[in-house]
Amino acid sequence: MSSTDPTSGPAADRIDRADRLTPDEVAEVLALARAAGDADGADPLDEHVLLRMRDPEAPAVHLTARTADGTLTGYAHLDTTAPADGVGVEMVVHPAYRRRGAGRALARGVVAAASRPLRAWAHG
């Protein structure tokens, strides 16, 4: 099986952190979110996250999970403007790459990136 076959290999060979996403990265995340929403019957990211993801001036931390060949398998958004009681976080893993470590790797990255307690949201 090739490394692009979603049934083989790890779903997250690397986690990348960025303060801003490029337009191409935004498009990738939106496609991933659509796939997850179609599979789950609920959108995985709220409007606040979608707006902030598109705004290059909005303060946030973006984490992406990628395979060795660069395929986006997961995304996490940390709202760094959240109140002092916690950093808001929303995560999504592509349905074809679930149960293979991408969510765990993203969660570890979220914990490492958070400067305060976390407040996670689940949709649906």
Side-chain angles (χ1 to χ4, degrees):
M1 291 184 182
S2 74
S3 62
T4 59
D5 181 348
T7 63
S8 68
D13 288 308
R14 73 176 199 261
I15 302 295
D16 296 321
R17 177 184 171 155
D19 294 329
R20 292 174 182 78
L21 296 177
T22 67
D24 288 342
E25 291 169 326
V26 170
E28 279 184 296
V29 172
L30 293 175
L32 183 151
R34 272 191 304 279
D38 289 348
D40 301 337
D43 292 331
L45 304 173
D46 69 21
E47 183 179 21
H48 174 77
V49 170
L50 296 174
L51 291 171
R52 295 181 75 76
M53 183 190 329
R54 292 179 175 113
D55 181 355
E57 300 305 316
V61 172
H62 307 276
L63 300 177
T64 54
R66 294 185 181 276
T67 61
D69 70 358
T71 301
L72 180 69
T73 60
Y75 170 76
H77 177 274
L78 284 81
D79 182 353
T80 57
T81 65
D85 66 337
V87 174
V89 62
E90 295 189 27
M91 290 179 20
V92 57
V93 175
H94 192 287
Y97 292 91
R98 291 179 179 166
R99 303 198 55 78
R100 297 195 8 242
R104 181 179 296 125
L106 275 171
R108 286 182 179 144
V110 164
V111 170
S115 58
R116 303 185 305 273
L118 294 166
R119 291 181 300 117
W121 294 96
H123 299 276

Coordinates of all heavy atoms in Angstrom, one line a residue, residues 2-90:
S2 N 0.4 2.3 -0.7 CA 1.2 3.5 -0.7 C 1.0 4.3 0.6 O 0.0 4.1 1.3 CB 0.8 4.3 -1.9 OG -0.5 4.9 -1.7
S3 N 1.8 5.3 0.8 CA 1.7 6.1 2.0 C 0.5 7.1 1.9 O 0.1 7.6 2.9 CB 3.0 7.0 2.2 OG 3.2 7.8 1.1
T4 N -0.1 7.2 0.7 CA -1.3 8.0 0.6 C -2.6 7.2 0.9 O -3.7 7.8 0.9 CB -1.4 8.7 -0.7 OG1 -1.4 7.7 -1.8 CG2 -0.2 9.7 -0.9
D5 N -2.5 5.9 1.0 CA -3.6 5.1 1.3 C -4.0 5.3 2.8 O -3.3 5.0 3.7 CB -3.2 3.6 1.1 CG -4.4 2.6 1.3 OD1 -5.4 3.1 1.9 OD2 -4.2 1.5 1.0
P6 N -5.2 5.8 3.0 CA -5.6 6.1 4.4 C -5.8 4.9 5.3 O -5.9 5.1 6.5 CB -7.0 6.9 4.2 CG -7.5 6.5 2.9 CD -6.3 6.2 2.0
T7 N -5.7 3.7 4.7 CA -5.8 2.5 5.6 C -4.5 2.0 6.1 O -4.4 1.0 6.8 CB -6.6 1.4 4.8 OG1 -5.8 1.0 3.7 CG2 -8.0 1.8 4.4
S8 N -3.4 2.7 5.7 CA -2.1 2.2 6.1 C -1.3 3.4 6.7 O -1.5 4.5 6.4 CB -1.3 1.6 4.9 OG -1.0 2.6 4.0
G9 N -0.4 3.1 7.6 CA 0.5 4.1 8.1 C -0.2 5.0 9.1 O -1.4 5.0 9.3
P10 N 0.7 5.8 9.8 CA 0.1 6.7 10.8 C -0.6 7.9 10.2 O -0.3 8.2 9.1 CB 1.4 7.2 11.5 CG 2.5 7.0 10.5 CD 2.1 5.8 9.7
A11 N -1.6 8.4 10.9 CA -2.3 9.5 10.4 C -1.7 10.9 10.7 O -2.1 11.9 10.2 CB -3.7 9.5 11.0
A12 N -0.6 10.8 11.5 CA 0.0 12.1 11.9 C 1.5 11.8 12.1 O 2.0 11.4 13.1 CB -0.5 12.7 13.2
D13 N 2.3 12.1 11.0 CA 3.7 12.0 11.1 C 4.3 13.2 11.7 O 5.4 13.2 12.2 CB 4.3 11.7 9.7 CG 4.0 10.3 9.3 OD1 4.3 9.3 10.0 OD2 3.5 10.1 8.2
R14 N 3.6 14.3 11.6 CA 4.1 15.6 12.2 C 2.9 16.5 12.5 O 1.8 16.4 11.9 CB 5.0 16.3 11.2 CG 4.4 16.9 10.0 CD 5.5 17.7 9.2 NE 4.8 18.6 8.3 CZ 4.6 18.4 7.0 NH1 4.9 17.3 6.5 NH2 4.0 19.4 6.3
I15 N 3.1 17.3 13.5 CA 2.2 18.4 13.9 C 2.9 19.7 13.7 O 4.0 19.9 14.2 CB 1.8 18.2 15.4 CG1 1.1 16.9 15.7 CG2 0.8 19.4 15.8 CD1 -0.2 16.6 15.0
D16 N 2.3 20.5 12.9 CA 2.9 21.9 12.6 C 2.0 22.9 13.4 O 0.8 22.8 13.5 CB 2.9 22.2 11.1 CG 3.7 21.2 10.3 OD1 4.8 20.9 10.8 OD2 3.3 20.8 9.2
R17 N 2.7 23.9 13.9 CA 2.1 25.0 14.6 C 2.3 26.3 13.8 O 3.4 26.6 13.3 CB 2.7 25.2 16.0 CG 2.2 26.3 16.7 CD 2.8 26.5 18.0 NE 2.4 27.8 18.7 CZ 2.4 28.0 19.9 NH1 2.9 27.1 20.8 NH2 2.0 29.1 20.4
A18 N 1.2 27.1 13.7 CA 1.3 28.4 13.0 C 0.4 29.4 13.7 O -0.6 29.1 14.3 CB 0.9 28.3 11.5
D19 N 0.8 30.7 13.6 CA 0.0 31.8 14.1 C -1.0 32.2 13.1 O -2.0 32.8 13.4 CB 0.8 33.0 14.6 CG 1.7 32.6 15.7 OD1 1.3 31.8 16.6 OD2 2.8 33.2 15.8
R20 N -0.7 31.9 11.8 CA -1.6 32.3 10.7 C -1.6 31.2 9.7 O -0.6 30.5 9.5 CB -1.1 33.6 10.0 CG -1.3 34.8 10.9 CD -0.6 36.0 10.2 NE -0.7 37.2 11.1 CZ 0.0 37.4 12.1 NH1 1.0 36.5 12.4 NH2 -0.1 38.5 12.8
L21 N -2.7 31.0 9.0 CA -2.8 30.0 7.9 C -2.8 30.8 6.6 O -3.3 31.8 6.4 CB -4.1 29.2 8.0 CG -4.3 28.4 9.2 CD1 -5.7 27.7 9.2 CD2 -3.2 27.3 9.3
T22 N -2.1 30.2 5.6 CA -2.1 30.7 4.2 C -3.5 30.4 3.6 O -4.2 29.5 4.1 CB -1.0 30.0 3.4 OG1 -1.4 28.7 3.2 CG2 0.3 30.1 4.0
P23 N -3.8 31.1 2.6 CA -5.1 30.8 1.9 C -5.2 29.3 1.5 O -6.3 28.7 1.6 CB -5.1 31.8 0.7 CG -4.3 32.9 1.2 CD -3.2 32.3 2.0
D24 N -4.1 28.7 1.0 CA -4.2 27.3 0.6 C -4.4 26.4 1.8 O -5.1 25.4 1.7 CB -2.9 26.9 -0.1 CG -2.7 27.5 -1.5 OD1 -3.7 27.9 -2.0 OD2 -1.6 27.5 -2.0
E25 N -3.8 26.8 3.0 CA -4.0 26.0 4.2 C -5.5 26.1 4.7 O -6.1 25.2 5.1 CB -3.1 26.4 5.3 CG -1.6 26.0 5.0 CD -0.6 26.7 6.0 OE1 -0.9 27.8 6.4 OE2 0.4 26.0 6.3
V26 N -6.0 27.3 4.6 CA -7.4 27.5 4.9 C -8.3 26.6 4.1 O -9.2 26.0 4.6 CB -7.8 29.0 4.8 CG1 -9.4 29.2 5.0 CG2 -7.1 29.9 5.8
A27 N -8.1 26.6 2.8 CA -8.8 25.8 1.9 C -8.7 24.3 2.3 O -9.7 23.6 2.2 CB -8.4 26.0 0.4
E28 N -7.5 23.9 2.6 CA -7.3 22.5 3.1 C -8.2 22.2 4.3 O -8.8 21.1 4.4 CB -5.9 22.2 3.4 CG -5.0 21.9 2.2 CD -3.6 21.6 2.7 OE1 -2.9 22.4 3.4 OE2 -3.2 20.4 2.5
V29 N -8.1 23.1 5.3 CA -8.8 22.8 6.5 C -10.3 22.8 6.3 O -11.0 22.0 6.8 CB -8.4 23.9 7.6 CG1 -9.3 23.8 8.8 CG2 -7.0 23.7 8.0
L30 N -10.8 23.7 5.4 CA -12.2 23.8 5.1 C -12.7 22.5 4.5 O -13.8 22.0 4.8 CB -12.6 25.0 4.3 CG -12.4 26.3 5.0 CD1 -12.6 27.5 4.0 CD2 -13.3 26.5 6.2
A31 N -11.9 21.9 3.6 CA -12.2 20.7 2.9 C -12.2 19.5 3.9 O -13.1 18.7 3.9 CB -11.2 20.4 1.8
L32 N -11.3 19.5 4.8 CA -11.2 18.5 5.9 C -12.5 18.6 6.8 O -13.1 17.6 7.1 CB -10.0 18.7 6.7 CG -9.7 17.7 7.8 CD1 -8.2 17.5 8.1 CD2 -10.4 18.1 9.1
A33 N -12.8 19.9 7.1 CA -14.0 20.1 8.0 C -15.3 19.7 7.3 O -16.2 19.1 7.9 CB -14.1 21.6 8.4
R34 N -15.4 19.9 6.0 CA -16.6 19.5 5.2 C -16.7 17.9 5.2 O -17.7 17.4 5.4 CB -16.5 20.0 3.7 CG -17.1 21.3 3.5 CD -17.3 21.7 2.1 NE -16.0 21.6 1.3 CZ -15.1 22.6 1.3 NH1 -15.3 23.7 2.0 NH2 -14.0 22.4 0.6
A35 N -15.5 17.3 5.0 CA -15.5 15.8 5.0 C -16.0 15.3 6.4 O -16.8 14.3 6.4 CB -14.2 15.3 4.6
A36 N -15.5 15.9 7.4 CA -15.9 15.4 8.8 C -17.4 15.7 9.0 O -18.1 14.9 9.6 CB -15.0 16.1 9.8
G37 N -17.8 16.9 8.6 CA -19.2 17.3 8.8 C -20.1 16.4 8.0 O -21.2 15.9 8.6
D38 N -19.8 16.0 6.8 CA -20.6 15.1 6.0 C -20.7 13.7 6.7 O -21.7 13.1 6.7 CB -20.0 14.9 4.6 CG -20.2 16.2 3.8 OD1 -21.0 17.1 4.2 OD2 -19.6 16.3 2.7
A39 N -19.5 13.2 7.2 CA -19.5 11.9 7.9 C -20.2 11.9 9.2 O -20.9 10.9 9.6 CB -18.0 11.5 8.1
D40 N -20.1 13.0 9.9 CA -20.7 13.0 11.3 C -22.1 13.6 11.4 O -22.7 13.5 12.5 CB -19.7 13.8 12.2 CG -18.3 13.2 12.2 OD1 -18.2 12.0 12.0 OD2 -17.4 14.0 12.5
G41 N -22.5 14.3 10.4 CA -23.8 15.0 10.5 C -23.8 16.3 11.3 O -24.9 16.8 11.6
A42 N -22.7 16.8 11.6 CA -22.6 18.1 12.3 C -21.3 18.8 11.9 O -20.2 18.1 11.8 CB -22.6 17.9 13.8
D43 N -21.3 20.1 11.7 CA -20.0 20.8 11.4 C -19.1 20.7 12.6 O -19.5 20.9 13.8 CB -20.3 22.2 11.1 CG -21.1 22.4 9.8 OD1 -20.9 21.5 8.9 OD2 -21.9 23.3 9.6
P44 N -17.8 20.4 12.4 CA -16.9 20.3 13.5 C -16.3 21.6 14.1 O -15.8 21.6 15.2 CB -15.8 19.4 12.9 CG -15.8 19.8 11.5 CD -17.2 20.0 11.2
L45 N -16.4 22.6 13.3 CA -15.9 23.9 13.7 C -17.0 25.0 13.7 O -17.8 25.1 12.8 CB -14.8 24.4 12.8 CG -13.6 23.4 12.6 CD1 -12.7 23.8 11.5 CD2 -12.9 23.2 13.9
D46 N -17.0 25.8 14.8 CA -18.1 26.9 14.8 C -17.7 28.1 14.0 O -16.6 28.2 13.5 CB -18.4 27.2 16.2 CG -17.3 28.0 17.0 OD1 -16.5 28.6 16.4 OD2 -17.4 28.0 18.2
E47 N -18.7 29.0 13.8 CA -18.5 30.1 13.0 C -17.3 31.0 13.4 O -16.6 31.6 12.6 CB -19.8 31.0 12.9 CG -19.7 32.2 12.0 CD -21.0 32.9 12.0 OE1 -21.8 32.8 12.9 OE2 -21.1 33.7 11.0
H48 N -17.2 31.1 14.7 CA -16.1 31.9 15.3 C -14.7 31.4 14.8 O -13.9 32.2 14.4 CB -16.2 31.9 16.8 CG -15.1 32.6 17.5 ND1 -15.0 33.9 17.7 CD2 -14.0 32.0 18.2 CE1 -13.9 34.2 18.3 NE2 -13.2 33.1 18.7
V49 N -14.5 30.1 14.8 CA -13.3 29.5 14.4 C -13.1 29.8 12.9 O -12.0 30.1 12.4 CB -13.2 28.0 14.8 CG1 -12.0 27.4 14.1 CG2 -13.1 27.9 16.3
L50 N -14.2 29.6 12.1 CA -14.1 29.7 10.7 C -13.7 31.2 10.3 O -12.9 31.4 9.4 CB -15.4 29.3 10.0 CG -15.7 27.9 10.2 CD1 -17.1 27.6 9.6 CD2 -14.7 26.9 9.5
L51 N -14.3 32.1 11.0 CA -13.9 33.5 10.7 C -12.5 33.9 11.1 O -11.8 34.5 10.4 CB -14.9 34.5 11.5 CG -16.4 34.5 11.0 CD1 -17.2 35.2 12.0 CD2 -16.5 35.0 9.6
R52 N -12.1 33.4 12.3 CA -10.7 33.7 12.8 C -9.7 33.0 11.9 O -8.6 33.5 11.7 CB -10.6 33.3 14.2 CG -11.5 34.1 15.1 CD -11.3 33.8 16.6 NE -10.1 34.3 17.1 CZ -9.9 35.6 17.4 NH1 -10.8 36.5 17.2 NH2 -8.7 35.9 18.0
M53 N -10.0 31.8 11.4 CA -9.1 31.1 10.5 C -8.8 31.8 9.3 O -7.6 31.8 8.8 CB -9.7 29.7 10.2 CG -8.8 28.8 9.4 SD -9.7 27.3 8.7 CE -10.9 27.0 9.9
R54 N -9.8 32.5 8.7 CA -9.6 33.3 7.5 C -9.0 34.6 7.7 O -8.5 35.3 6.7 CB -11.0 33.4 6.8 CG -11.6 32.1 6.3 CD -12.9 32.4 5.7 NE -13.5 31.3 5.1 CZ -14.6 30.7 5.6 NH1 -15.2 31.1 6.6 NH2 -15.1 29.6 5.0
D55 N -8.9 35.1 8.9 CA -8.4 36.5 9.2 C -7.0 36.4 9.6 O -6.7 36.0 10.7 CB -9.3 37.1 10.3 CG -8.8 38.5 10.6 OD1 -7.8 39.0 10.1 OD2 -9.5 39.1 11.5
P56 N -6.1 36.9 8.7 CA -4.6 36.8 9.1 C -4.2 37.6 10.3 O -3.2 37.4 10.8 CB -3.9 37.2 7.8 CG -4.9 38.0 7.1 CD -6.3 37.5 7.5
E57 N -5.1 38.6 10.7 CA -4.7 39.4 11.8 C -5.3 38.9 13.2 O -5.0 39.4 14.2 CB -5.2 40.8 11.6 CG -4.6 41.5 10.4 CD -3.1 41.5 10.4 OE1 -2.5 41.8 11.5 OE2 -2.5 41.2 9.4
A58 N -6.2 37.9 13.1 CA -6.8 37.3 14.3 C -5.8 36.5 15.1 O -5.2 35.5 14.5 CB -8.0 36.5 13.9
P59 N -5.6 36.8 16.3 CA -4.7 36.0 17.1 C -5.3 34.6 17.4 O -6.4 34.5 17.9 CB -4.5 36.8 18.4 CG -5.7 37.7 18.5 CD -6.2 37.9 17.1
A60 N -4.5 33.6 17.1 CA -4.9 32.2 17.3 C -3.7 31.3 17.1 O -2.6 31.8 16.6 CB -6.0 31.8 16.4
V61 N -3.8 30.1 17.6 CA -2.8 29.1 17.3 C -3.4 28.0 16.5 O -4.5 27.6 16.8 CB -2.2 28.5 18.6 CG1 -1.3 27.3 18.3 CG2 -1.4 29.6 19.4
H62 N -2.8 27.7 15.3 CA -3.4 26.7 14.4 C -2.4 25.5 14.4 O -1.2 25.7 14.2 CB -3.5 27.2 13.0 CG -4.2 28.5 12.9 ND1 -5.6 28.6 12.8 CD2 -3.8 29.8 12.9 CE1 -6.0 29.8 12.8 NE2 -4.9 30.6 12.8
L63 N -2.9 24.3 14.7 CA -2.1 23.1 14.6 C -2.6 22.2 13.5 O -3.9 22.0 13.4 CB -2.2 22.3 16.0 CG -1.7 23.1 17.2 CD1 -1.9 22.2 18.4 CD2 -0.2 23.5 17.1
T64 N -1.8 21.7 12.7 CA -2.2 20.8 11.6 C -1.4 19.5 11.8 O -0.2 19.5 12.1 CB -1.9 21.4 10.2 OG1 -0.5 21.8 10.2 CG2 -2.8 22.6 10.0
A65 N -2.1 18.4 11.6 CA -1.6 17.1 11.6 C -1.4 16.6 10.1 O -2.4 16.8 9.3 CB -2.4 16.1 12.3
R66 N -0.2 16.1 9.7 CA 0.0 15.8 8.4 C 0.8 14.4 8.3 O 1.5 14.1 9.2 CB 0.8 16.8 7.6 CG 0.1 18.1 7.5 CD 0.9 19.1 6.7 NE 0.2 20.4 6.5 CZ -0.8 20.6 5.6 NH1 -1.1 19.7 4.7 NH2 -1.4 21.8 5.6
T67 N 0.5 13.7 7.2 CA 1.2 12.5 7.0 C 2.6 12.9 6.4 O 2.9 14.0 6.1 CB 0.5 11.6 6.0 OG1 0.4 12.3 4.7 CG2 -0.9 11.2 6.5
A68 N 3.5 11.9 6.2 CA 4.8 12.1 5.7 C 4.8 12.8 4.3 O 5.7 13.6 4.0 CB 5.6 10.8 5.7
D69 N 3.7 12.5 3.5 CA 3.6 13.1 2.2 C 2.9 14.4 2.2 O 2.7 15.0 1.1 CB 3.0 12.1 1.2 CG 1.5 11.9 1.5 OD1 0.9 12.5 2.4 OD2 0.9 11.1 0.7
G70 N 2.6 14.9 3.4 CA 2.0 16.3 3.5 C 0.5 16.3 3.5 O -0.1 17.4 3.6
T71 N -0.2 15.2 3.4 CA -1.7 15.1 3.5 C -2.2 15.6 4.8 O -1.7 15.1 5.9 CB -2.2 13.7 3.2 OG1 -1.7 13.3 1.9 CG2 -3.7 13.6 3.2
L72 N -3.1 16.6 4.8 CA -3.7 17.1 6.0 C -4.7 16.1 6.6 O -5.6 15.7 5.9 CB -4.4 18.4 5.7 CG -5.1 19.1 6.9 CD1 -4.0 19.6 7.9 CD2 -6.0 20.2 6.5
T73 N -4.5 15.6 7.8 CA -5.3 14.6 8.4 C -6.1 15.2 9.6 O -7.0 14.6 10.1 CB -4.5 13.4 8.8 OG1 -3.5 13.8 9.8 CG2 -3.8 12.8 7.6
G74 N -5.6 16.3 10.2 CA -6.3 16.9 11.3 C -6.0 18.3 11.5 O -5.0 18.8 11.0
Y75 N -6.8 19.0 12.3 CA -6.6 20.4 12.5 C -7.1 20.8 13.9 O -8.1 20.2 14.4 CB -7.4 21.3 11.5 CG -7.5 22.7 11.9 CD1 -6.4 23.6 11.7 CD2 -8.7 23.3 12.4 CE1 -6.5 24.9 12.0 CE2 -8.7 24.7 12.7 CZ -7.6 25.5 12.5 OH -7.7 26.8 12.8
A76 N -6.4 21.6 14.6 CA -6.9 22.2 15.9 C -6.7 23.7 15.9 O -5.7 24.2 15.4 CB -6.1 21.5 17.1
H77 N -7.7 24.4 16.5 CA -7.7 25.8 16.6 C -7.7 26.2 18.1 O -8.5 25.7 18.9 CB -8.9 26.4 15.9 CG -9.0 27.9 16.1 ND1 -9.6 28.5 17.1 CD2 -8.6 28.8 15.2 CE1 -9.6 29.8 17.0 NE2 -9.0 30.0 15.8
L78 N -6.7 27.0 18.5 CA -6.7 27.5 19.9 C -7.0 28.9 19.9 O -6.3 29.7 19.2 CB -5.3 27.3 20.6 CG -5.0 25.8 21.0 CD1 -4.5 25.0 19.8 CD2 -3.9 25.9 22.0
D79 N -8.0 29.3 20.6 CA -8.4 30.7 20.7 C -7.6 31.4 21.8 O -7.9 31.2 23.0 CB -9.9 30.8 21.0 CG -10.4 32.3 21.0 OD1 -9.6 33.2 21.0 OD2 -11.7 32.4 21.1
T80 N -6.6 32.1 21.4 CA -5.7 32.7 22.4 C -6.3 34.0 23.0 O -5.7 34.6 23.9 CB -4.4 33.1 21.8 OG1 -4.6 33.9 20.6 CG2 -3.7 31.8 21.3
T81 N -7.5 34.4 22.6 CA -8.2 35.6 23.1 C -9.2 35.2 24.1 O -10.0 36.0 24.6 CB -8.8 36.5 22.1 OG1 -9.9 35.7 21.4 CG2 -7.8 36.9 21.0
A82 N -9.3 33.9 24.5 CA -10.3 33.4 25.4 C -10.1 34.0 26.8 O -9.0 34.5 27.1 CB -10.2 31.9 25.5
P83 N -11.2 34.0 27.6 CA -11.0 34.6 28.9 C -10.0 33.8 29.7 O -9.5 32.7 29.4 CB -12.4 34.4 29.5 CG -13.2 33.7 28.5 CD -12.5 33.5 27.3
A84 N -9.6 34.4 30.9 CA -8.6 33.9 31.7 C -8.9 32.5 32.2 O -8.0 31.7 32.7 CB -8.3 34.8 32.9
D85 N -10.2 32.1 32.2 CA -10.5 30.7 32.7 C -10.2 29.6 31.8 O -10.3 28.4 32.1 CB -12.0 30.7 33.1 CG -12.9 30.8 31.8 OD1 -12.5 31.3 30.8 OD2 -14.1 30.3 31.9
G86 N -9.6 29.9 30.6 CA -9.2 28.8 29.7 C -9.1 29.2 28.3 O -9.7 30.1 27.8
V87 N -8.3 28.4 27.6 CA -8.1 28.6 26.1 C -9.1 27.7 25.4 O -9.2 26.5 25.7 CB -6.6 28.2 25.7 CG1 -6.5 28.2 24.2 CG2 -5.6 29.0 26.4
G88 N -9.9 28.3 24.5 CA -10.9 27.6 23.8 C -10.2 26.8 22.7 O -9.3 27.3 22.0
V89 N -10.6 25.5 22.5 CA -10.0 24.7 21.5 C -11.0 23.9 20.8 O -12.0 23.4 21.4 CB -8.9 23.7 22.1 CG1 -9.5 22.8 23.1 CG2 -8.2 22.9 21.0
E90 N -10.9 23.8 19.5 CA -11.7 22.9 18.7 C -10.8 22.1 17.8 O -9.8 22.6 17.3 CB -12.7 23.7 17.8 CG -13.7 24.5 18.7 CD -14.8 25.1 17.9 OE1 -15.1 24.6 16.8 OE2 -15.4 26.1 18.4

